[in-house]
């Protein structure tokens, strides 16, 4: 073995180690959420429509960012209808002159039943999925005009800068199970794990609940918004959606089970 071959043999493990280290750092950074600082009061110049429910700041390559979330439910009108809205906005804080990057506004007008739009604060996340210092802000909320306990429309929306917006829209998980008195257990179609049309139809067929409209409770309709998006965006949003639905499923199931459990007084009553 000559000196060149010997040197190559010595360098190969070092180079492989460096490449593995770089790949590891990139993976961790891409999956890591950006730390947010909660604010009770937003700076002057930041518009808040409705009742502020949360505000957060964070830093990225663009500077200091602020995200504000607000909701409003109106009193019923003379005709008995009700309206509600949600509002969100991201600002860049440059000195004393906040600059709005994007705004989200959605509403239900003149609902004859119960109007409700509510942010799921567990959905609020800021990420740096590309690892380039440019962050993505994601929020999620439910929307309904209904008089019964049933799944609501749910939207999970990622904003990237001023003009890029990616959405998953479907149905949340609440109300998707019911208590079976005879069996003494919760019944209902399980939480879908695949929101493709084929995956949802296979689940419907398996549980023989024909006529069920898609999307199923806990699923979104399609992924069309992500056709030209970086792959990391869709990967994150899929994982985030299902994590939120699993949380809702557990909360709803626990609430239904607790409702059926007898109290001490009921157990000891003659």
């Amino acid at each position: 073995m000559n000196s060149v071959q010997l040197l190559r043999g010595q360098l190969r493990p070092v180079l492989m180690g460096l490449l593995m280290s770089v790949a590891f750092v990139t993976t961790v950074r891409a999956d890591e959420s950006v730390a947010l600082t909660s604010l009770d009061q937003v700076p002057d110049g930041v518009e808040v429509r409705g009742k502020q429910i949360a505000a957060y700041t964070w830093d990225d390559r663009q500077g200091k960012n602020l995200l504000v979330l607000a909701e409003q439910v109106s009193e019923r009108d003379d005709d008995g209808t009700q309206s509600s809205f949600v509002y969100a906005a991201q600002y860049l804080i440059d000195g004393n002159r906040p600059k709005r990057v994007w705004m989200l506004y959605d509403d239900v007008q003149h609902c004859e039943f119960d109007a409700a739009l509510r942010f799921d604060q567990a959905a609020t996340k800021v990420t740096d999925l590309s690892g380039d210092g440019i962050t993505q802000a994601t929020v999620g909320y439910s929307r309904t005009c209904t008089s019964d306990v049933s799944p609501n429309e749910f939207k999970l929306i990622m904003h990237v800068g001023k003009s890029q917006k990616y959405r998953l829209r479907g149905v949340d998980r609440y109300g998707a199970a019911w208590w079976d008195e005879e069996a003494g257990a919760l019944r209902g179609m399980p939480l879908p794990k695949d929101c493709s049309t084929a995956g949802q139809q296979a689940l419907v067929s398996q549980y023989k609940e024909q006529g069920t409209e898609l999307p199923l409770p806990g699923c979104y309709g399609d992924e069309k918004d992500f056709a030209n998006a970086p792959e990391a965006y869709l990967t994150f949003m899929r994982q985030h959606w299902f994590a939120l639905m699993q949380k809702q499923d557990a909360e709803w199931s626990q609430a239904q089970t607790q409702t059926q459990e007898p109290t001490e007084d009921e157990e000891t009553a003659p």
Side-chain angles (χ1 to χ4, degrees):
M1 179 183 295
N2 60 36
S3 58
V4 174
Q5 292 174 322
L6 179 62
L7 182 59
R8 286 176 178 171
Q10 292 173 336
L11 286 176
R12 187 175 292 109
V14 176
L15 290 172
M16 289 297 295
L18 287 172
L19 289 172
M20 290 177 66
S21 298
V22 170
F24 176 76
V25 171
T26 301
T27 301
V28 172
R29 181 173 179 79
D31 292 341
E32 191 174 26
S33 295
V34 175
L36 303 179
T37 300
S38 183
L39 286 182
D40 292 328
Q41 185 173 356
V42 298
D44 291 339
V46 173
E47 180 184 16
V48 180
R49 301 185 188 180
K51 179 182 178 182
Q52 178 181 318
I53 63 164
Y56 307 96
T57 62
W58 72 95
D59 295 318
D60 67 6
R61 203 172 77 186
Q62 308 266 14
K64 180 171 287 294
N65 297 268
L66 181 144
L67 174 66
V68 60
L69 307 178
E71 303 171 348
Q72 189 71 48
V73 180
S74 71
E75 298 292 334
R76 291 196 178 274
D77 294 333
D78 293 339
D79 61 1
T81 62
Q82 188 178 41
S83 300
S84 180
F85 71 81
V86 288
Y87 166 86
Q90 180 181 341
Y91 283 81
L92 275 174
I93 308 300
D94 184 10
N96 295 322
R97 298 185 304 168
K99 180 181 179 182
R100 192 165 67 194
V101 180
W102 56 262
M103 182 190 78
L104 177 155
Y105 179 88
D106 198 356
D107 64 6
V108 171
Q109 292 287 339
H110 307 297
C111 173
E112 295 182 357
F113 305 108
D114 294 321
L117 283 96
R118 296 189 181 92
F119 281 108
D120 182 346
Q121 294 200 51
T124 305
K125 280 201 173 187
V126 175
T127 50
D128 180 5
L129 298 172
S130 301
D132 58 1
I134 302 298
T135 54
Q136 308 86 36
T138 301
V139 298
Y141 63 93
S142 60
R143 182 180 188 274
T144 186
C145 170
T146 183
S147 61
D148 61 359
V149 179
S150 59
N152 307 315
E153 181 182 5
F154 194 85
K155 298 182 181 182
L156 189 63
I157 305 174
M158 171 193 286
H159 285 267
V160 187
K162 186 174 183 178
S163 58
Q164 292 178 288
K165 181 168 65 174
Y166 304 97
R167 294 163 293 190
L168 292 178
R169 290 166 288 191
V171 184
D172 72 16
R173 188 59 183 171
Y174 290 113
W178 61 90
W179 186 262
D180 186 327
E181 293 285 353
E182 294 183 2
L186 286 170
R187 294 297 187 199
M189 194 179 294
L191 179 67
K193 297 180 181 179
D194 176 6
C195 283
S196 68
T197 300
Q200 292 186 68
Q201 288 176 340
L203 191 59
V204 170
S205 177
Q206 180 183 350
Y207 283 82
K208 304 185 187 309
E209 297 188 19
Q210 303 300 330
T212 302
E213 294 184 2
L214 302 187
L216 298 176
C219 248
Y220 51 83
D222 59 62
E223 300 173 345
K224 292 179 181 178
D225 277 10
F226 296 84
N228 298 314
E231 184 178 350
Y233 290 5
L234 179 55
T235 299
F236 165 76
M237 291 286 276
R238 279 177 181 160
Q239 293 173 347
H240 195 25
W241 176 281
F242 285 117
L244 292 170
M245 294 304 116
Q246 287 167 359
K247 181 174 181 292
Q248 289 184 4
D249 193 52
E251 291 172 349
W252 174 255
S253 297
Q254 183 179 17
Q256 294 302 293
T257 303
Q258 289 175 346
T259 300
Q260 303 302 323
E261 291 177 352
T263 64
E264 283 189 21
D265 291 341
E266 290 173 332
E267 289 176 342
T268 57

